[in-house]
């Protein structure tokens, strides 16, 4: 990697003692040899099912949770080796957004956003007020300074949470299921706010989620967690198009993505899967294949997803016939910038 990573987690282990008094109860291994690097400016997502260890992992990055072993470097500093005071200072460079907002109920919206600046010190009251104004305008709450958290919707509460996380101008933002308590429409709004803010402020983000949708909307890279381990990681587009681990495949299938294994044949006709990314997905691929190769298709299913705004199209179709040998079709699709693959038993049909 060209850059020094902004976050470097090396071989983290974390075990929680067994709950309750019974000596037979097993301890919970929440992190099992987890290493992760996040480059400056990158939006890195960690996805996994409930209980996979995601919250434990993200809380280790600012040592809200201390790993039993392993090292945590942020901005090149080993946080595990710091005095409490030095750790406090480093934490001010890390913003955090929580699933349940964690707002102070007794403080107004403005008071909540001001709070981390008061803790950090170093700003005059006028400077803090100016920063509060700036941040609340940024998150679309310019008219809400004097409201209390109880008077806000979930989406508004999370906007306050985001403004508060940014108060001390962190370069790194940690998001623990930031949209999981919100309805789908509000989720969209908060995700686009986060995308906008990250781009404008050149933030590095580590986020955790159980929703695939969050990953492909926001993230550059993704790691998949299962039972305290990272089982797969890579660029979002690669993981989406070629998931390797059964857990990843399961998460993608649940989110409605078409995986490589599909219906083999329909009524004895070979089934072709076409995948097109970016520009290739924006041209009339099917029309070009019809005019250039005489390809006649019966569409079975398809899906267009946007990965960070870039279209990724995948569709499956029965091949009814073509003017070129069927075995030459994948190469013809490749010449148009797409990717074609015979599915299941249809592989035999291409010969
Ligand atoms: N403070 C804690 N005490 C005991 N067990 C915990 C604690 N926090 C998390 N766990 C357990 O550790 C595992 C991982 O939890 P968590 O990191 O919250 O997963 P996720 O965020 O992926 O749902 C789970 O089995 C959970 O029950
Ligand atoms: Mg969690």
């Amino acid at each position: 990697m060209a850059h020094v990573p902004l976050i470097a987690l090396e071989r983290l282990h974390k075990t929680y003692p067994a709950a309750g008094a019974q000596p037979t109860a097993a301890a919970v291994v929440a992190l099992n040899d987890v290493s992760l690097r996040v480059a400056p400016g990158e939006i890195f997502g960690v996805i996994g099912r409930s209980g996979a260890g995601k919250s434990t992992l993200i809380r280790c990055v600012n040592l809200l949770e201390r790993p039993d072993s392993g090292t945590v470097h942020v901005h090149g500093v080993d946080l595990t080796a710091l005095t409490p005071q030095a750790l406090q200072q480093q934490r001010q460079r890390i913003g955090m957004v929580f699933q349940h907002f964690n707002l102070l109920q007794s403080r107004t919206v403005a008071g909540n956003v001001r709070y981390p600046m008061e803790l950090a010190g170093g700003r005059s009251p006028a400077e803090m007020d100016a920063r509060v104004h700036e941040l609340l305008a940024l998150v679309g709450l310019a008219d809400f300074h004097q409201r209390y958290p109880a008077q806000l919707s979930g989406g508004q509460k999370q906007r306050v949470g985001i403004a508060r996380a940014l108060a001390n101008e962190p370069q790194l933002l940690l998001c623990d299921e930031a949209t999981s308590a919100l309805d789908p429409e509000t989720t969209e709004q908060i995700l686009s706010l986060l995308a906008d803010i990250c781009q404008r402020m050149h933030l590095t983000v580590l986020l955790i989620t159980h929703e695939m949708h969050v990953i492909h909307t926001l993230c550059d890279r993704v790691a998949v967690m299962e039972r305290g381990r990272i089982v797969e990681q890579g660029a979002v587009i690669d993981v989406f198009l070629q998931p390797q681990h059964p857990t990843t495949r399961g998460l993608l299938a649940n989110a409605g993505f078409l995986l490589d294994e599909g219906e083999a044949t329909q009524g004895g006709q070979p089934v072709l899967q076409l995948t097109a990314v970016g520009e290739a997905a924006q041209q009339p691929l099917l029309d070009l294949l019809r005019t250039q190769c005489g390809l006649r298709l019966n569409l079975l299913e398809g899906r267009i997803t946007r990965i960070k705004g870039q279209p990724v199209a995948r569709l499956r179709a029965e091949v009814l016939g073509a003017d070129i040998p069927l075995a030459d079709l994948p190469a013809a699709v490749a010449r148009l910038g797409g990717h074609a693959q015979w599915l299941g038993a249809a592989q035999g049909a291409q010969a």
Side-chain angles (χ1 to χ4, degrees):
M1 205 177 288
H3 295 284
V4 177
L6 195 93
I7 302 175
L9 309 177
E10 296 290 340
R11 313 210 63 171
L12 300 188
H13 287 260
K14 175 76 186 181
T15 302
Y16 293 109
Q22 307 97 314
T24 51
V28 176
V29 179
L31 296 179
N32 187 355
D33 201 15
V34 172
S35 298
L36 188 72
R37 283 159 180 256
V38 180
E42 155 167 81
I43 303 187
F44 195 107
V46 176
I47 189 164
R49 297 197 177 89
S50 178
K54 307 180 298 295
S55 291
T56 303
L57 177 68
I58 204 167
R59 290 165 65 82
C60 280
V61 176
N62 55 8
L63 293 196
L64 286 179
E65 205 70 71
R66 211 168 253 276
D68 299 332
S69 63
T71 56
V72 176
H73 284 82
V74 179
H75 298 110
V77 177
D78 180 359
L79 300 189
T80 54
L82 297 180
T83 62
Q85 199 184 7
L87 175 60
Q88 207 51 50
Q89 267 175 1
Q90 288 298 323
R91 275 193 185 138
Q92 280 155 17
R93 304 171 69 190
I94 306 173
M96 189 154 185
V97 179
F98 301 87
Q99 177 175 2
H100 297 291
F101 325 123
N102 295 16
L103 302 180
L104 296 169
Q105 299 299 317
S106 61
R107 280 187 169 228
T108 60
V109 165
N112 269 281
V113 177
R114 207 172 190 268
Y115 188 59
M117 292 186 271
E118 292 170 12
L119 290 182
R123 287 180 206 253
S124 71
E127 283 168 339
M128 287 192 279
D129 290 341
R131 181 86 182 132
V132 168
H133 265 89
E134 190 186 330
L135 287 164
L136 287 178
L138 179 75
V139 299
L141 292 180
D143 299 330
F144 289 75
H145 284 241
Q146 297 313 317
R147 294 258 194 125
Y148 284 87
Q151 300 169 311
L152 301 176
S153 70
Q156 290 165 340
K157 284 179 195 168
Q158 197 56 296
R159 286 170 191 270
V160 179
I162 292 168
R164 177 187 57 187
L166 299 173
N168 287 320
E169 298 177 73
Q171 289 161 281
L172 172 61
L173 194 61
L174 306 177
C175 299
D176 184 347
E177 301 272 8
T179 56
S180 297
L182 305 175
D183 62 67
E185 204 179 326
T186 311
T187 292
E188 282 312 308
Q189 293 164 358
I190 295 294
L191 290 180
S192 82
L193 175 68
L194 280 171
D196 181 49
I197 286 173
C198 293
Q199 202 186 17
R200 270 207 256 177
M201 301 188 167
H202 306 290
L203 287 177
T204 304
V205 180
L206 177 64
L207 68 84
I208 65 168
T209 181
H210 66 278
E211 294 171 302
M212 225 10 126
H213 173 71
V214 171
I215 299 290
H216 72 78
T217 305
L218 279 184
C219 298
D220 302 301
R221 281 201 300 150
V222 61
V224 181
M225 272 190 94
E226 168 85 12
R227 293 187 204 186
R229 286 183 176 275
I230 291 178
V231 296
E232 175 161 6
Q233 64 173 306
V236 172
I237 184 116
D238 296 338
V239 172
F240 268 64
L241 291 180
Q242 286 165 322
Q244 303 295 317
H245 194 275
T247 298
T248 316
R249 301 177 76 86
L251 288 165
L252 285 167
N254 287 342
F257 291 94
L258 300 180
L259 302 180
D260 283 347
E261 71 267 6
E263 288 300 304
T265 54
Q266 294 269 323
Q269 304 289 353
V271 174
L272 194 66
Q273 173 171 278
L274 296 167
T275 306
V277 177
E279 279 177 27
Q282 286 169 309
Q283 58 175 343
L285 188 62
L286 296 183
D287 198 48
L288 291 168
L289 287 169
R290 189 180 56 78
T291 51
Q292 292 181 11
C293 310
L295 183 63
R296 295 180 300 285
L297 295 175
N298 176 29
L299 292 181
L300 300 174
E301 59 183 330
R303 167 106 191 224
I304 298 176
T305 308
R306 287 189 171 265
I307 296 185
K308 277 204 104 171
Q310 171 175 248
V312 175
R314 177 166 274 182
L315 65 85
R316 292 185 185 141
E318 235 180 331
V319 176
L320 304 178
D323 297 343
I324 64 170
L326 294 192
D328 295 344
L329 271 177
V333 174
R335 279 194 295 277
L336 293 168
H339 176 79
Q341 181 183 352
W342 297 103
L343 290 184
Q347 267 166 330
Q350 66 183 294

